[in-house]
Amino acid sequence: MTKPPKLHRDVPAWKGLRTAAVGTGAFADAGSGAAFLDEACETLRGEGFEAVVGPMDGSTWGTYRLQTWSDGSPAFLMEPAGGPHDLAAYERAGFEIAELHVSATSAPGSRGFAERVRGVSVESWNGKDPEALLSGAHALVMEGFRATPFFTPVPQAMFLERYGPLLAHADPRFILRALDHDGNLRGLTLAFPDPMRQGAIVLKTYVGTVPGAGRAMADRIHALAGELGFREVVHALMRSGIASEAQSRKFGGTVFRRYALMGRQL
């Protein structure tokens, strides 16, 4: 490791405790990594912190998580990587798993879920006015993920800055909107053909305010992937135990990678 991870002190609480975070960065070996983490914990304890999580660059809007298991298949765009010694370093330093996440793969093709949702219609983005699309999505995302641990609301400008580059290189057919009968935005899905994991569509984010809207959009992504000749749909970076992981199983998702955010009480 040429540069030690940064320590972040403005972090959402873990277990209701005053929390700091160790940023991302690959450790050269487990021993030196554990020593760094122990020293960081002592420093933060001296500053009045009660817990430390990592790796996490400040919040879930930054890079976070380390890999705990892989089937050896290729990485996908924006997947957290880290180093081969990171998990061992955190474990040696007395950290436990604070959150588990998984990525899964499923076969393309509709499962018929879109036909079961009433009150919304699903359509692909027309590729025009990305700022308007993301402005409408901002409120949905802030509401849809507000109860997720470590989630931090961000201003609309920051949200546009983060997702704007993704839209600039996206295939609009895989950017879906769920609209009610009055044309109001009730759901959004961001998916894209992956340049790293060839033949894959990565289902990155979907959120809906109408029951079943998210599943309807996910079904349309799988249908489009089949129509356009893709070989798999990646269900990316799902937190274990919440709805997206359950939805993945309904699409026949098979886990190919596991990740963890680690935590230690001081």
Side-chain angles (χ1 to χ4, degrees):
M1 181 177 60
T2 58
K3 186 178 180 180
K6 182 179 178 182
L7 302 183
H8 299 270
R9 292 168 170 82
D10 185 15
V11 175
W14 177 49
K15 296 185 175 181
L17 302 172
R18 187 184 178 207
T19 304
V22 177
T24 55
F27 294 119
D29 57 75
S32 63
F36 171 85
L37 291 168
D38 279 331
E39 182 177 348
C41 286
E42 287 303 312
T43 297
L44 293 165
R45 181 187 289 113
E47 296 176 12
F49 287 93
E50 302 169 302
V52 178
V53 297
M56 184 168 73
D57 288 333
S59 73
T60 55
W61 292 101
T63 303
Y64 75 111
R65 296 167 285 204
L66 52 76
Q67 291 188 16
T68 63
W69 176 84
S70 172
D71 69 354
S73 60
F76 57 88
L77 188 67
M78 297 189 291
E79 182 179 16
H85 308 293
D86 293 359
L87 178 60
Y90 274 93
E91 290 175 335
R92 283 196 192 185
F95 282 70
E96 62 181 279
I97 292 175
E99 270 193 6
L100 282 171
H101 300 251
V102 300
S103 292
T105 180
S106 68
S110 172
R111 274 62 164 181
F113 294 133
E115 299 174 359
R116 304 177 190 178
V117 181
R118 296 180 179 179
V120 297
S121 59
V122 175
E123 63 177 35
S124 292
W125 176 46
N126 60 12
K128 299 178 181 178
D129 200 355
E131 184 171 332
L133 176 74
L134 292 177
S135 295
H138 175 260
L140 284 178
V141 172
M142 295 304 108
E143 175 63 23
F145 291 99
R146 65 184 174 86
T148 303
F150 301 107
F151 178 78
T152 304
V154 296
Q156 187 179 98
M158 180 179 171
F159 183 82
L160 268 62
E161 182 180 351
R162 178 174 178 83
Y163 281 98
L166 178 62
L167 285 190
H169 300 286
D171 182 333
R173 292 174 292 186
F174 289 100
I175 309 299
L176 302 183
R177 301 184 299 172
L179 304 174
D180 64 19
H181 295 311
D182 296 321
N184 299 310
L185 185 66
R186 304 301 299 272
L188 181 78
T189 292
L190 302 177
F192 55 87
D194 193 86
M196 297 172 59
R197 192 172 170 116
Q198 294 295 319
I201 291 295
V202 176
L203 180 50
K204 177 67 173 63
T205 301
Y206 72 90
V207 60
T209 60
V210 174
R215 185 169 57 193
M217 290 184 291
D219 190 77
R220 183 57 183 150
I221 293 295
H222 285 74
L224 282 167
E227 293 167 10
L228 297 173
F230 289 88
R231 62 176 176 80
E232 65 173 340
V233 178
V234 170
H235 306 158
L237 304 172
M238 301 172 290
R239 183 172 180 267
S240 291
I242 64 172
S244 57
E245 187 183 26
Q247 295 287 9
S248 176
R249 289 194 292 269
K250 291 178 181 179
F251 283 88
T254 300
V255 172
F256 65 86
R257 211 96 74 220
R258 299 184 188 278
Y259 323 84
L261 178 69
M262 309 297 287
R264 173 177 158 180
Q265 296 188 49
L266 302 180

